[in-house]
Amino acid sequence: MSGVAVRGRTLREGQGPTVVLLHPLGAGADFWQPAAASLDGLGVYAVDLPGHGGCPVPGDPYGTADVAAALATHLRGLGHERVHVVGLSLGGLVALELAAHDPGLVAGLVVAATVPSYPEDWREKWRARAAEAGRLGVTPFVEPTLQLWLTPAALAADGPEVAYVRRTLGGTDPRGYALACLALADADVTPRLGTITAPTLLVDGELDAPMFHDGAARLARSIPGSHRAVIAGARHASALEFAEPFARLVRDWVRPGNDSPDEGSRS
């Protein structure tokens, strides 16, 4: 493993806590622009994960724990000693690794649309997708991603969320995408979930694929004191299509003395 790094940028300044945002596969820091617009009063810092956005493609395969270690180094290099971390899908796995390995850095955790590990059939699918990206590029994955991420209404409207996915995923470096697929195939944070001490909110999109609802249930059983919330009507990319309800959950979770959402609450 070599050359694993992250890059990021401040999306909004704020006097309140700093929130670090970690995007899904094939996206980038700008995935979070719609949600950041509603994170009033918070410092918002969004990250490009390896091979995505402006972040270079690593020279060798890597794991989500490697990304978490690079992220911790990056954040401390910027002077951050205590942050709230929000991750969705691939970003959620990195957030979980960071909270498990560096609890002193993570004041709070919001994890959306994330599984602690993929079942074996999906591990094989990720490996096959990595090989296909190497041969054909990322274009074959744009339409399946749109179907998973966004609701039929959003797809029919062909609005800014659809344009974002087409532009950003379509512009992702194929090798960067392939290496991230391999990281997803090998990821398994399950043995470390019980060590997470940060207050943790698990967010479901109501209409997300069943695998991710199962993943949230597994996380809820394993992370001490964690809570769940459901965003009504959302699919996988809840933070993109339902940015304001997602941001409201984050605001409520990170504010001092937050009132934890009840299991199964809806936004």
Side-chain angles (χ1 to χ4, degrees):
M1 180 276 298
S2 66
V4 175
V6 300
R7 292 185 178 175
R9 62 181 183 271
T10 299
L11 297 187
R12 65 183 299 165
E13 303 281 354
Q15 298 302 310
T18 296
V19 178
V20 176
L21 306 174
L22 308 177
H23 62 77
L25 174 69
D30 54 355
F31 173 88
W32 296 103
Q33 289 280 10
S38 296
L39 291 175
D40 304 344
L42 300 175
V44 180
Y45 188 78
V47 171
D48 284 328
L49 297 174
H52 291 73
C55 192
V57 178
D60 297 313
Y62 61 86
T64 52
D66 300 318
V67 182
L71 177 59
T73 299
H74 177 78
L75 292 172
R76 287 206 166 90
L78 295 173
H80 295 296
E81 293 298 332
R82 194 78 169 150
V83 297
H84 295 265
V85 182
V86 179
L88 191 148
S89 203
L90 170 61
L93 273 162
V94 175
L96 289 166
E97 292 279 12
L98 183 65
H101 285 288
D102 203 335
L105 181 61
V106 181
L109 193 60
V110 179
V111 176
T114 299
V115 296
S117 65
Y118 283 90
E120 187 56 39
D121 62 332
W122 263 95
R123 291 177 182 270
E124 291 304 317
K125 287 179 182 179
W126 285 128
R127 295 183 185 109
R129 182 173 289 198
E132 189 174 354
R135 295 193 311 271
L136 303 176
V138 297
T139 300
F141 311 119
V142 172
E143 291 304 322
T145 298
L146 284 167
Q147 295 293 325
L148 173 68
W149 281 18
L150 302 175
T151 64
L155 296 175
D158 199 24
E161 300 92 351
V162 175
Y164 170 79
V165 176
R166 291 191 186 281
R167 179 180 68 252
T168 305
L169 176 53
T172 299
D173 184 286
R175 176 165 167 77
Y177 186 89
L179 288 174
C181 288
L182 293 177
L184 287 169
D186 292 339
D188 186 1
V189 73
T190 307
R192 296 176 289 285
L193 294 175
T195 70
I196 292 175
T197 57
T200 301
L201 177 64
L202 307 168
V203 179
D204 287 288
E206 181 187 16
L207 304 181
D208 203 355
M211 175 172 64
F212 295 102
H213 292 298
D214 178 66
R218 290 162 60 197
L219 291 170
R221 289 193 297 268
S222 300
I223 300 175
S226 58
H227 294 261
R228 289 179 69 180
V230 176
I231 297 182
R235 300 203 72 181
H236 195 65
S238 57
L240 183 64
E241 185 179 350
F242 292 78
E244 199 287 326
F246 189 97
R248 185 167 65 247
L249 285 172
V250 173
R251 287 197 314 266
D252 290 348
W253 192 249
V254 305
R255 73 173 188 253
N258 70 69
D259 296 319
S260 302
D262 293 331
E263 177 83 14
S265 65
R266 294 177 180 265
S267 294

